[in-house]
Amino acid sequence: MTGHYWIAAPLRRERDRLRAGLGLPAPLAVVDAHRRLRGPYSAAGALLRQVAPEALRRMPELAARHYIELQESTPELAPLVPQRTRALEKMANAPGEASRYPARLHSLRVSHGIVDFLLAALPGSGDGPRTLVVENVQHADVTDHEFLAAALRRIPAELLTLVVATDTAELEDPPGMVSVSLPAELAVRTTRVHHPGAPAGAEPDGPAPDGAGSGSLAEAAARYVAGDCISDEPALRAAYEALTGPERAALHDRRAEEVAARAEEEPSLRLGTLPYHLLRGSDGDGAGLDALRWAQLRCKYLGLYHAAAEMGEEGRHRTGPDVRPDLWWPFTRETGVCLAAAGRPEESAAVQEEARSQTTMPKHHMSLAYETGMLYARHFPPELRDERRARAYVNQAIAISDLLPDLKERAFFSVFNRNGLALVEVRAGRPDEALRLLDEGIERLDRELGIGERTWHRVGLRYNRAQVNGMSGRLEDALEDYASIMDLDHDFADHYFNRGSMLRRLGRIEEAIADYERAITLESPFPEVHYNRGEARRELGDLDGALADFDRALELEPGNLEALLARAGLLADQGEAKAALADVETGLLVDAEHPHLLCLQGRLWGEEGRTAEARDSLDAALSHDPELAEAWAIKGELAYVEGDLTAALADFNRAVELEARPEFRFNRGVVHEAAGSLVQAVADFDAVLAVTDDEEARSRRETCLRAAERAHP
């Protein structure tokens, strides 16, 4: 048997027994993915702690290339890589105040960066094929789902055989929007080794591990807690359950003390084991909740929204408006925000509605109104978005903010909430009104706040104004905003990515490429920047560079339709019809009604002489986008080849009407020439020569003129 494996059995000892019979390559590591251990990246971090120090010693250049993903997933590695401190944070008055929060897909990008690191580091280790075993994946955080899904797809089993181990319950995707599906990848990329489980009342297969069933109940319970309560051995769990509450708390206190002593050097423990034991110890409502709050803030800061929301749920249910109100509101607010950011807006709405019934604080209701407005403006799926409700909730937030007694707070929150209203205006198709709100907000903060106050929000307002200017075609104004933003905030990849796109629209292609390349150095791998740089390279005639970028985009996201279409088109232009068709077919599996893919399929089939199939594809493309000029032009070419000049002329007329490209005018001129409409042919060739120096157009024009003279001497 070869390839990656998925072992499913009720208990870990049974999974170990099944694994022993597989004849796997030598072990690289056996890691545990249970999120109780280290929270996000429990498995990926455990692996990196084992392999990264030696790999960085051997290949020090990897530190600069992968500093983001190494220190964010595995903070113990931070001393070994360049430190990442965002520029705005240096001006913050409080920890995290200046933070912008990463996009939902940031954690997937980090996972791809980890895979890139492993692909670079493992071949040079000199140890030959190895095996990575990842246990307890049924309890893994979303981040380890993403890491394993990327690793299964991108790491060859000949380099590193992955063994994913779970119990026999159905492995499900996390709630909300799924960036990549681990169950789907397991289904197609692994050989499943399955133990169906024992009948009810039967003993598990194999002997219990040493100590699992021996000694006193107290000793077994102590072993369970010392193992951070992740063991699935029934005897250990039963011993723990048999203790009294104070006895359990004492064991958790002891374990928390041990973990705290290590947490300075192993900070990832603060996201899992440490808050877990403190919450269940004798000071759960004090030190435990404080530790949980710290972990939630850290996860939110890193864009680990599923984990932050889960921590927030536990925190808000352990507190209340009358019990630790200092923490109830922050837990509640952050839970709603993080659920929305994780693509779980319905759950966020439920948290916010419950909070409304539990507080009478004006600032709480202001915040809840704003966040609910954002759900209706941007977070809900399209069919549930509602401009009227979004506007109503944001207006409520504005009304409350305008009544705040503190002048500086009033200025800040009034502007902040009107910033939200600007988003509603954009979504409603009123960019001018959005710009007015943003301009007024910028002027008010500059007027009413001191230099250095709320710098992060001032930058955010200008960023939003740049976005609105860009989408409404005011590109030079947008570039001015970006120049101002990047004076203060020069290490944020999105600024360079967005500015690069605007520069490209202005035809400043070399500058756009420079911005895309800067964005690549400031963020873990993401497909969009490679796709955009590929398009820019193609415009400069760097076809090899463009193809490399499209390849990279599709390595990171095989279903990226824009990259599939771009690569297929480039391959088609280079005569690689078979490869181009393969990309088209892959794209149509994702979206069977994609008009541009159908159009390219029609072109390629037409070039192969499969005229009927080509026409079917083109008709399908036009049924979804009747104004797709390219499809009309290709239909015209097919009709011309078949000798139907009337149909060809009608198709080219429609193509030119929609988009008067020189190539469309040239081909219509050829049809006019064949039909004997020489005056019309000359007009088309003249139009081509007005914008190009096409020798064939010039030659055909002269031929038509001579023919016209002969016909009318």
Side-chain angles (χ1 to χ4, degrees), residues 74-364:
T74 317
E76 293 78 10
L77 299 176
L80 303 181
V81 300
Q83 294 301 295
R84 185 187 196 196
T85 302
R86 297 165 180 163
L88 282 182
E89 290 176 4
K90 298 174 183 176
M91 295 177 272
N93 295 318
E97 178 187 278
S99 301
R100 77 181 64 78
Y101 296 102
R104 180 180 59 86
L105 292 177
H106 176 71
S107 59
L108 177 61
R109 299 171 182 179
V110 167
S111 290
H112 277 298
I114 296 171
V115 171
D116 284 345
F117 176 83
L118 294 173
L119 288 170
L122 292 179
S125 64
D127 296 324
R130 305 294 294 275
T131 297
L132 170 64
V133 179
V134 185
E135 258 294 345
N136 275 325
V137 173
Q138 72 275 15
H139 297 299
D141 180 72
V142 172
T143 51
D144 277 322
H145 273 238
E146 292 171 338
F147 164 65
L148 288 171
L152 285 166
R153 181 170 60 80
R154 296 183 54 206
I155 299 180
E158 297 78 14
L159 175 64
L160 182 67
T161 297
L162 297 173
V163 179
V164 175
T166 69
D167 63 14
T168 52
E170 182 180 358
L171 186 64
E172 297 181 345
D173 284 317
M177 298 177 67
V178 177
S179 58
V180 62
S181 173
L182 177 58
E185 294 293 338
L186 285 168
V188 300
R189 301 188 189 279
T190 64
T191 298
R192 188 168 185 185
V193 183
H194 182 64
H195 185 298
E203 288 295 319
D205 289 347
D210 291 345
S214 61
S216 68
L217 284 177
E219 291 171 336
R223 286 195 294 274
Y224 183 72
V225 174
D228 298 319
C229 304
I230 67 170
S231 173
D232 55 14
E233 283 300 328
L236 294 183
R237 177 72 185 180
Y240 175 80
E241 296 285 357
L243 296 178
T244 66
E247 289 172 330
R248 285 196 294 269
L251 289 177
H252 285 294
D253 283 343
R254 185 188 313 159
R255 180 60 176 159
E257 186 177 348
E258 295 168 354
V259 172
R262 295 163 47 201
E264 190 67 31
E265 294 185 356
E266 299 180 62
S268 58
L269 292 168
R270 298 183 186 276
L271 302 184
T273 303
L274 184 58
Y276 175 81
H277 289 293
L278 286 172
L279 284 165
R280 288 153 184 81
S282 59
D283 191 21
D285 290 340
L289 287 172
D290 290 338
L292 184 66
R293 176 62 178 151
W294 186 94
Q296 185 198 32
L297 279 174
R298 181 63 181 168
C299 287
K300 182 189 176 189
Y301 171 76
L302 293 174
L304 308 173
Y305 298 117
H306 286 276
E310 184 176 31
M311 293 169 182
E313 286 287 356
E314 182 169 12
R316 75 187 190 90
H317 288 303
R318 285 175 173 266
T319 59
D322 302 318
V323 180
R324 292 295 308 262
D326 60 315
L327 287 181
W328 169 77
W329 171 244
F331 274 130
T332 298
R333 182 190 64 233
E334 303 292 2
T335 300
V337 169
C338 290
L339 284 169
R344 300 161 64 180
E346 292 87 351
E347 296 171 76
S348 176
V351 169
Q352 293 175 33
E353 190 63 24
E354 180 182 337
R356 284 189 183 89
S357 70
Q358 295 180 290
T359 179
T360 59
M361 295 288 291
K363 286 179 69 173
H364 294 176

Side-chain angles (χ1 to χ4, degrees), residues 320-447:
D322 302 318
V323 180
R324 292 295 308 262
D326 60 315
L327 287 181
W328 169 77
W329 171 244
F331 274 130
T332 298
R333 182 190 64 233
E334 303 292 2
T335 300
V337 169
C338 290
L339 284 169
R344 300 161 64 180
E346 292 87 351
E347 296 171 76
S348 176
V351 169
Q352 293 175 33
E353 190 63 24
E354 180 182 337
R356 284 189 183 89
S357 70
Q358 295 180 290
T359 179
T360 59
M361 295 288 291
K363 286 179 69 173
H364 294 176
H365 280 273
M366 177 187 70
S367 177
L368 291 166
Y370 175 86
E371 295 300 339
T372 304
M374 292 301 98
L375 294 180
Y376 282 106
R378 62 184 296 196
H379 291 297
F380 277 134
E383 65 273 13
L384 295 180
R385 291 179 193 164
D386 187 322
E387 176 207 330
R388 185 187 64 80
R389 288 187 177 182
R391 186 184 303 279
Y393 277 111
V394 175
N395 280 343
Q396 184 181 51
I398 291 170
I400 297 172
S401 64
D402 285 350
L403 297 175
L404 292 175
D406 182 274
L407 293 179
K408 289 192 174 183
E409 276 202 334
R410 186 192 309 164
F412 169 72
F413 284 110
S414 292
V415 171
F416 180 88
N417 292 323
R418 284 175 170 82
N419 181 32
L421 185 59
L423 173 64
V424 177
E425 298 293 0
V426 168
R427 297 299 173 100
R430 291 190 284 269
D432 289 341
E433 177 61 14
L435 286 171
R436 184 188 69 78
L437 289 165
L438 293 168
D439 287 340
E440 288 182 355
I442 291 168
E443 291 169 6
R444 183 173 180 183
L445 289 188
D446 288 345
R447 182 176 67 250

Side-chain angles (χ1 to χ4, degrees), residues 409-627:
E409 276 202 334
R410 186 192 309 164
F412 169 72
F413 284 110
S414 292
V415 171
F416 180 88
N417 292 323
R418 284 175 170 82
N419 181 32
L421 185 59
L423 173 64
V424 177
E425 298 293 0
V426 168
R427 297 299 173 100
R430 291 190 284 269
D432 289 341
E433 177 61 14
L435 286 171
R436 184 188 69 78
L437 289 165
L438 293 168
D439 287 340
E440 288 182 355
I442 291 168
E443 291 169 6
R444 183 173 180 183
L445 289 188
D446 288 345
R447 182 176 67 250
E448 299 186 29
L449 298 186
I451 296 173
E453 290 184 277
R454 303 286 187 178
T455 301
W456 62 273
H457 189 58
R458 298 184 198 211
V459 168
L461 286 169
R462 284 177 169 81
Y463 175 79
N464 289 343
R465 188 170 68 181
Q467 292 290 89
V468 176
N469 275 324
M471 69 178 63
S472 58
R474 302 173 174 92
L475 301 183
E476 295 293 349
D477 291 338
L479 291 180
E480 286 184 19
D481 278 327
Y482 274 114
S484 172
I485 292 164
M486 293 157 83
D487 282 343
L488 294 171
D489 192 22
H490 54 77
D491 55 2
F492 185 38
D494 280 14
H495 295 336
Y496 294 92
F497 177 76
N498 292 328
R499 189 175 71 174
S501 298
M502 292 175 190
L503 288 166
R504 186 173 155 232
R505 288 166 64 188
L506 287 167
R508 295 159 63 177
I509 308 301
E510 293 89 347
E511 294 173 80
I513 289 173
D515 270 358
Y516 292 142
E517 289 174 349
R518 178 64 174 146
I520 288 169
T521 69
L522 292 172
E523 176 62 295
S524 292
F526 64 110
E528 296 85 357
V529 69
H530 288 283
Y531 164 74
N532 281 18
R533 188 175 67 173
E535 289 285 24
R537 284 174 160 176
R538 178 160 63 177
E539 289 178 38
L540 286 182
D542 179 8
L543 302 186
D544 289 340
L547 186 59
D549 267 325
F550 298 147
D551 287 345
R552 177 60 166 160
L554 290 166
E555 178 186 17
L556 298 171
E557 186 183 1
N560 186 308
L561 291 175
E562 289 182 320
L564 281 166
L565 177 64
R567 187 170 72 177
L570 183 56
L571 291 169
D573 291 343
Q574 294 180 329
E576 300 287 343
K578 184 176 180 180
L581 271 172
D583 275 349
V584 168
E585 289 165 4
T586 298
L588 290 173
L589 289 175
V590 179
D591 181 359
E593 299 180 349
H594 195 289
H596 292 277
L597 287 169
L598 288 166
C599 178
L600 182 54
Q601 185 182 59
R603 170 193 158 185
L604 291 165
W605 278 351
E607 290 173 356
E608 289 185 3
R610 299 163 63 178
T611 306
E613 293 159 285
R615 189 174 289 107
D616 286 345
S617 290
L618 293 166
D619 287 342
L622 290 168
S623 72
H624 300 300
D625 183 0
E627 297 189 349

